[in-house]
């Protein structure tokens, strides 16, 4: 996960902060997601389609374990809103760190997709947790 978030090629800063902002920052919700969905629906180029699928689904799948294991590892974080709040804080920190280090990009759509992943993971946690409780019915 760390390699995917920070191990990519570093952006070369030439002193123009507007260039950095225009290149590495997207604060318009659904801009990137809609562009990738357009590529998946309308382009025949296998490379572009794989990049779009990788970015859309990768950002979701990458954070599913976060939603599963966070409540398992930390008893205080078993409520839905706590997992989601902790997830938002973590992702915002990662996005800000990416822009500060000039590695990766700061994209609101990454936050949206990552939160979908955490949500799916939390739902999986709840299903697993409920099934586990049903299997271990105590003797009366």
């Amino acid at each position: 996960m760390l390699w995917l978030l920070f191990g990519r090629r570093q952006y070369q800063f030439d002193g123009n902060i507007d260039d950095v902002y225009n290149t590495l920052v997207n604060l318009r919700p659904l801009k990137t997601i809609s562009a990738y969905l357009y590529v998946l629906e309308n382009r025949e180029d296998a490379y572009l389609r794989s990049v779009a699928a990788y970015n859309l689904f990768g950002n979701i799948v990458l954070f599913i374990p976060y939603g599963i294991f966070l409540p398992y590892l930390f008893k205080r974080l078993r409520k839905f809103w706590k997992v989601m709040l902790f997830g938002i804080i973590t992702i915002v920190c990662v996005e800000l760190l990416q822009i500060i280090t000039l590695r990766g990009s700061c994209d609101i759509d990454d936050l949206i997709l990552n939160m979908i992943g955490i949500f799916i993971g939390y739902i999986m946690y709840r299903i697993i947790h409920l099934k586990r409780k049903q299997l271990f019915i105590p003797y009366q």
Side-chain angles (χ1 to χ4, degrees):
M1 182 188 273
L2 289 174
W3 171 254
L4 291 173
L5 295 172
F6 299 106
R8 298 180 188 170
R9 187 171 54 105
Q10 185 172 1
Y11 177 81
Q12 298 300 316
F13 180 59
D14 63 0
N16 185 351
I17 196 69
D18 290 334
D19 186 41
V20 172
Y21 179 77
N22 292 331
T23 306
L24 299 178
V25 178
N26 171 39
L27 298 178
R28 214 170 86 208
L30 304 178
K31 177 183 174 184
T32 307
I33 293 172
S34 61
Y36 286 140
L37 289 174
Y38 176 83
V39 167
L40 288 175
E41 292 175 1
N42 299 304
R43 298 293 178 147
E44 296 298 322
D45 185 343
Y47 175 74
L48 288 178
R49 291 172 60 87
S50 68
V51 168
Y54 175 79
N55 278 289
L56 284 172
F57 301 112
N59 272 311
I60 293 171
V61 170
L62 190 65
F63 279 85
I64 289 175
Y66 194 94
I68 295 172
F69 292 115
L70 194 65
Y72 268 121
L73 296 174
F74 303 102
K75 193 172 184 173
R76 289 184 171 185
L77 296 176
R78 292 200 173 152
K79 293 192 185 292
F80 173 76
W81 70 271
K82 289 182 179 182
V83 171
M84 297 305 278
L85 179 64
F86 199 81
I88 287 173
I89 291 168
T90 303
I91 295 165
V92 167
C93 289
V94 166
E95 293 294 321
L96 290 174
L97 199 56
Q98 283 182 325
I99 197 67
I100 289 168
T101 62
L102 297 177
R103 294 186 179 271
S105 62
C106 181
D107 194 333
I108 189 73
D109 290 342
D110 287 349
L111 173 76
I112 293 168
L113 294 170
N114 295 159
M115 291 306 297
I116 291 170
I118 292 171
F119 174 76
I120 292 169
Y122 183 80
I123 296 302
M124 292 170 73
Y125 157 76
R126 293 295 297 170
I127 290 169
I128 293 166
H129 188 69
L130 289 175
K131 291 289 182 189
R132 202 167 139 228
K133 276 187 172 181
Q134 290 172 356
L135 291 175
F136 295 106
I137 300 172
Y139 292 109
Q140 294 184 8

